[in-house]
Amino acid sequence: MTTILLQRRGHVAEVRLNRPEVLNAIDDEMDAALADAWAHIDNDPEIRIAVLTAAGDRAFCAGGDMAAPPTGRNGLSFGGGLTGIGGRLRQLRKPLICGVHGHVLGLGFELAMCADIIVAADNASFRLPEARAGVIDHCGVVHRAIRQLPHHVAMAMIVAAAPLDALRAAQYGLVNECVPGPTLSIAIDRWIERLLACSPLVSQAAKYAALDGLDTNLADALRGVYPPIEAYKQSNDSREALAAWRDRRPPQWQGR
């Protein structure tokens, strides 16, 4: 069985975790397949949006496969490079939507937090099981959790393996939207429509600037010069934005 499914629909690439028999736990083969998928998505100029989902009814992802844990590939970190755990971090240029359901555990939780937009089915449950299981290694997931959640909520997950349900996750701003399970794909499609209405180059440039600016203080981030923003000024889409405004019509983005 293929550990992930990669399907393109127009300008959208969907990556689907596909090991439902083990709750989509990530092993070396899946990790390598994710690395290939992210590289393909970033290198294809026709792909503007990435979507990450998972097969099966019980779980988005149960974390690393305890029977065959990922070891990294070509120096990349886990999750195909997205997490920064155990290797080199890869920043996906394209906006990433993640749709989660059921169990979202450990490395799976980390992978979801790497997304730009998270849509959760109402049966999703986020948890860091390390303390309860007595297992800890790179510990990268705790650093994202403590940054993306209120302090005491994150600490309860970190030190006591306390679960966080989808509704509370939405209240705390961890997820963008919590929806009934059967409507998860419909909600994801709404976010896709919102993104496709935007200039793909502006979305990518703004994402780059926002994440790059996190590595410094606010004053330096405000003074920063960001190459994708500078490059956009000479793009066809930049000229199309002005023409569409002048002609009072919706812009037709080329993504170049």
Side-chain angles (χ1 to χ4, degrees):
M1 178 185 291
T2 305
T3 58
I4 72 165
L5 302 174
L6 175 60
Q7 180 182 13
R8 179 177 157 190
R9 294 182 292 147
H11 295 300
V12 181
E14 180 177 353
V15 178
R16 191 168 182 82
L17 307 182
N18 192 42
R19 300 185 74 210
E21 71 282 0
V22 290
L23 304 184
N24 296 309
I26 299 174
D27 63 0
D28 240 4
E29 185 180 353
M30 180 186 279
D31 209 48
L34 285 171
D36 289 342
W38 305 137
H40 173 75
I41 288 166
D42 256 353
N43 293 330
D44 187 340
E46 293 303 314
I47 294 175
R48 300 179 183 179
I49 303 164
V51 177
L52 177 63
T53 60
D57 298 326
R58 297 174 58 198
F60 168 73
C61 179
D65 190 333
M66 296 291 287
T71 57
R73 184 191 186 199
N74 297 331
L76 286 173
S77 57
F78 302 148
L82 291 193
T83 66
I85 304 173
R88 187 176 72 254
L89 175 67
R90 178 188 189 119
Q91 295 280 18
L92 189 66
R93 293 202 319 273
K94 313 294 174 67
L96 174 60
I97 302 169
C98 185
V100 299
H101 69 280
H103 299 294
V104 189
L105 310 179
L107 181 55
F109 184 21
E110 171 88 5
L111 192 55
M113 286 192 288
C114 292
D116 304 300
I117 295 166
I118 304 176
V119 185
D122 55 9
N123 72 341
S125 178
F126 303 88
R127 192 157 60 89
L128 304 179
E130 286 83 354
R132 185 69 178 267
V135 176
I136 193 166
D137 193 358
H138 296 286
C139 212
V141 66
V142 306
H143 300 296
R144 276 197 171 84
I146 199 69
R147 286 164 171 78
Q148 296 190 25
L149 283 164
H151 179 90
H152 292 102
V153 174
M155 290 306 298
M157 298 184 76
I158 292 165
V159 305
L164 177 67
D165 63 61
L167 182 58
R168 286 199 300 144
Q171 292 169 346
Y172 295 138
L174 179 73
V175 305
N176 297 81
E177 191 173 3
C178 175
V179 300
T183 68
L184 181 61
S185 62
I186 297 172
I188 291 172
D189 284 343
R190 285 198 300 266
W191 284 101
I192 289 172
E193 289 177 10
R194 291 186 183 106
L195 282 166
L196 288 177
C198 298
S199 164
L201 295 182
V202 169
S203 291
Q204 292 169 36
K207 175 177 176 175
Y208 176 95
L211 296 180
D212 188 72
L214 285 176
D215 292 333
T216 186
N217 60 60
L218 178 60
D220 287 341
L222 292 171
R223 286 193 292 266
V225 176
Y226 302 98
I229 293 178
E230 297 304 306
Y232 176 73
K233 297 174 183 177
Q234 307 304 318
S235 70
N236 290 336
D237 276 6
S238 177
R239 290 185 283 273
E240 168 64 7
L242 293 175
W245 179 85
R246 183 187 60 241
D247 298 341
R248 299 294 190 268
R249 59 172 175 79
Q252 301 298 313
W253 308 120
Q254 299 179 34
R256 61 192 68 195

